[in-house]
Each structure stands twice: as C-alpha cells, then as structure tokens.
Amino acid sequence: MKPELRPPREQTLDWYQTLFELIDMRSFSNLWFWIMLAVIWSSTSHWVLGVPFDMVVRARRFGEQAQIDLEDMVRINVNRLLYISQVSGLWLLGFTCFGLTTLTLLGFIYRLEFAQAVLLLAFPLSLIALLSLSTARLIQQEDAAGERLQKRLMRHRLYTQIIGMVAIFVTALWGMYQNMTLGPLGG
C-alpha cells in the first residue's frame, strides 16, 4: 500500500487568510483608504458646484468668452442642483440621515471599523452637499454674474477646503488612535 502524498496540514493554502494578509481589511491601517481620502478631498475642492475651478481662474484672468463659459456652466449646474432639491430633496435628506445614523451606530456602538471609516468620509461630504445647495440658492437669488459670481465660487471653494482640512485632521487622529489601540493584528 502506497502512502498518500499530501502536504502537511501547516502547508495547505488557506485562500482567505492569504487574501486578508495581502489586502488589509482594516480601514485605518490600509493604504488604499488614505489614498481614497486624498483623492476625494482633492476632487471635491477642485469641482466647485460641478464646475472645475480652473474655469473660475481662467474667467478671472481672461474674462470675455471664458467668463461667458463659466456663467453658462454655473447656470446649468445651479439649475440642476435646485431642481433636484425641489423634486426629491426631502427623500434625499431622509435617506442621507438614515445612512449617516446607521453608520454612526455600526461604527461607534458596534465598533465596526469599516463603518467608522465610511462615516468619516460621508459626513463631511454631506456638509459639502448642504453648502453647495446654499451657494446655488444664493447665486440664483442674486442672479450673480461676473466678478460677484467668481467671488461666490471662490468663497465656496474656501469653505470646502476648510471642511476638508478639518475632516482629514479628524480622520487622521481617529485612524492613528484606532491603529495604536488595536495594534497591527486588529485586536
């Protein structure tokens, strides 16, 4: 009788363990989470009310056709934002509050790190959404154009960057706390 040729028990390949070692599933110790955080805030501060910020700079520098293009883009995006808020604003607000509450409970009551990470991304972005809606209403009420429109967009970008800096700072502090508390193996 021939002995069966099988690798020892310790050498068998456990796919799940290999996958979770290769891709760290803890959010705050994962490099991809921090890359995503940087990309999200970079994109958010570049797109002011759905208009790329370089259009504002170009309109300031060159005026004329660049200003006309900026005003058209802003008018289209302002009308779009205000239409969405009028048609389904309450539903969006309800779902957003439900989602943020769910993430808060899962993250801080049930201590699910992934929910904490998503909440630290989603909550400041919801503040940016409210800021965008407020700015859109102001632009429409003032019928802002020219230099006044540029100033309004620059102020919106400044507030977006301030919210972003605070959000990144809080996320970094919480992430460092989680990594120091849980250690390298996650508990």
Side-chain angles (χ1 to χ4, degrees):
M1 184 154 118
K2 257 181 162 180
E4 191 174 323
L5 294 174
R6 285 176 47 194
R9 184 101 168 117
E10 298 86 33
Q11 293 180 0
T12 59
L13 188 57
D14 184 4
W15 287 103
Y16 293 114
Q17 183 178 354
T18 304
L19 179 68
F20 283 107
E21 284 176 5
L22 182 64
I23 303 171
D24 186 8
M25 297 307 278
R26 288 185 43 226
S27 301
F28 297 114
S29 61
N30 192 334
L31 177 63
W32 293 107
F33 172 77
W34 298 105
I35 291 172
M36 185 178 67
L37 181 74
V39 168
I40 285 173
W41 284 110
S42 174
S43 302
T44 302
S45 72
H46 178 70
W47 292 88
V48 181
L49 291 180
V51 177
F53 188 70
D54 60 284
M55 284 187 77
V56 178
V57 173
R58 197 172 31 237
R60 251 191 149 166
R61 190 174 298 153
F62 300 116
E64 300 171 3
Q65 187 59 43
Q67 181 63 37
I68 293 169
D69 293 345
L70 174 68
E71 290 174 2
D72 289 342
M73 283 281 288
V74 169
R75 179 183 47 78
I76 290 167
N77 286 321
V78 162
N79 289 339
R80 182 178 153 271
L81 276 173
L82 294 176
Y83 175 76
I84 290 170
S85 73
Q86 290 170 356
V87 170
S88 57
L90 287 176
W91 283 102
L92 287 173
L93 180 65
F95 284 126
T96 302
C97 290
F98 173 76
L100 292 175
T101 302
T102 301
L103 288 172
T104 302
L105 292 173
L106 287 173
F108 295 100
I109 302 298
Y110 293 104
R111 302 201 184 278
L112 185 62
E113 186 174 321
F114 182 74
Q116 294 172 1
V118 173
L119 179 70
L120 289 171
L121 288 171
F123 179 71
L125 290 175
S126 66
L127 295 178
I128 298 298
L130 291 174
L131 178 66
S132 296
L133 187 59
S134 173
T135 303
R137 284 203 174 116
L138 285 173
I139 288 172
Q140 188 181 56
Q141 286 172 357
E142 296 173 347
D143 199 22
E147 193 173 327
R148 184 175 204 150
L149 176 63
Q150 294 169 9
K151 285 183 180 180
R152 182 68 65 195
L153 293 174
M154 298 207 39
R155 186 174 302 133
H156 177 80
R157 183 175 193 234
L158 175 67
Y159 293 156
T160 299
Q161 289 175 330
I162 290 170
I163 292 170
M165 286 188 301
V166 171
I168 290 170
F169 180 72
V170 169
T171 303
L173 283 180
W174 185 254
M176 286 187 287
Y177 171 75
Q178 288 292 85
N179 288 335
M180 287 189 301
T181 304
L182 295 177
L185 298 176

